[in-house]
């Protein structure tokens, strides 16, 4: 079984990256794990042309196809996202917009193989959970339209820097044991 862990932040050395590292380490005994960062990929914004509503294909050719290859190869997808202005970072939102060819609200649409399970982890600097829930609901909305089953979520408020992750390690490990 293959697990894909996605750092949805553009920061490759921050708190999100540290959570991804812990998750990948925890899953490695049960899954073959691939860890990626949204910032490793180069892709354009969706232009909203809706050609994909007729063709199930995007008019642009770039790294979105490479990310989707990783989704296709995975049985389990874990998206780890910080809150940027109370939602997912723009880079990850730009990727989701470009997944419109795979969105199940129009026919024809591209499809991932069935049976994939999606997990969401949200972190933020502020102390309260509702903003984490908002980030998680953006990820789960995306999973839903790609027919990836939403199977678990973890909110981690009061995390800003890499150093703030260590005291939360047991929470993260407990979450991973349910995956
Ligand atoms: C552009 C930007 C916007 C942010 N907006 C919020 C916010 O609205 N609420 C919040 O609690 N934290 C916010 N944060 C803090 C991040 O959620 C927090 O620092 C997180 O740990 C960042 O992880 P990263 O460095 O791995 O991207 C913001 C950080 C940045 C850089």
């Amino acid at each position: 079984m293959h697990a894909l862990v996605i750092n949805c932040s553009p920061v490759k050395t921050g708190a999100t990256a540290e959570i991804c590292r812990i998750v990948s380490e925890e899953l490695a005994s049960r899954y073959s794990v691939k860890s990626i960062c949204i910032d490793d990929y180069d892709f354009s914004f969706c232009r909203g042309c809706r050609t994909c509503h007729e063709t199930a294909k995007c008019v642009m050719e770039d790294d979105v196809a490479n990310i989707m290859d990783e989704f296709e190869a995975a049985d389990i997808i874990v998206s780890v996202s910080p809150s940027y202005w109370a939602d997912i970072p723009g880079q990850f939102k730009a990727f989701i917009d470009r997944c419109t060819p795979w969105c199940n609200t129009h026919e024809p649409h591209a499809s991932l193989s069935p049976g994939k399970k999606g997990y969401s982890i949200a972190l933020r600097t502020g102390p309260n959970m509702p903003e984490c829930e908002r980030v998680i609901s953006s990820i789960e909305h995306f999973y839903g339209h790609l027919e990836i089953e939403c199977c678990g979520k973890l909110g981690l408020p009061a995390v800003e820097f890499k150093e703030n992750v260590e005291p939360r390690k047991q929470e993260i490990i407990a979450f991973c044991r349910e995956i």
Side-chain angles (χ1 to χ4, degrees):
M1 295 273 274
H2 298 281
L4 176 66
V5 180
I6 311 172
N7 178 354
C8 305
S9 163
V11 183
K12 292 181 192 171
T13 53
T16 313
E18 180 61 10
I19 294 166
C20 288
R21 192 191 63 73
I22 294 167
V23 170
S24 299
E25 199 175 277
E26 273 307 303
L27 297 182
S29 60
R30 288 173 288 128
Y31 298 94
S32 72
V33 181
K34 177 88 188 253
S35 196
I36 64 172
C37 177
I38 196 68
D39 203 50
D40 290 336
Y41 296 89
D42 193 16
F43 53 83
S44 305
F45 290 122
C46 173
R47 298 177 192 154
C49 72
R50 294 175 172 76
T51 300
C52 64
H53 289 203
E54 312 297 328
T55 64
K57 276 191 163 180
C58 186
V59 293
M60 292 178 274
E61 283 184 19
D62 55 25
D63 276 351
V64 167
N66 297 328
I67 304 176
M68 292 315 282
D69 284 348
E70 299 296 353
F71 272 67
E72 184 52 37
D75 302 292
I76 305 291
I77 295 147
V78 185
S79 300
V80 186
S81 178
S83 169
Y84 279 14
W85 286 88
D87 214 315
I88 53 176
Q91 289 85 345
F92 192 55
K93 177 64 165 68
F95 162 67
I96 291 176
D97 288 349
R98 285 289 309 284
C99 287
T100 306
W102 286 266
C103 183
N104 66 358
T105 51
H106 54 81
E107 287 294 349
H109 63 82
S111 299
L112 294 168
S113 304
K116 297 184 190 301
K117 294 179 186 295
Y119 296 83
S120 311
I121 301 178
L123 58 142
R124 64 173 297 222
T125 296
N128 303 322
M129 194 58 93
E131 198 175 296
C132 288
E133 291 289 351
R134 189 162 151 180
V135 170
I136 288 164
S137 84
S138 292
I139 300 169
E140 291 194 337
H141 180 89
F142 165 62
Y143 285 162
H145 282 302
L146 267 64
E147 299 181 4
I148 296 168
E149 187 189 355
C150 299
C151 291
K153 57 186 180 174
L154 174 67
L156 295 168
V159 174
E160 180 157 20
F161 301 114
K162 195 176 172 174
E163 297 70 42
N164 306 131
V165 175
E166 178 61 30
R168 314 296 283 275
K169 196 170 175 183
Q170 289 316 314
E171 268 173 85
I172 299 165
I173 290 173
F175 177 74
C176 289
R177 292 204 172 123
E178 303 299 318
I179 297 179

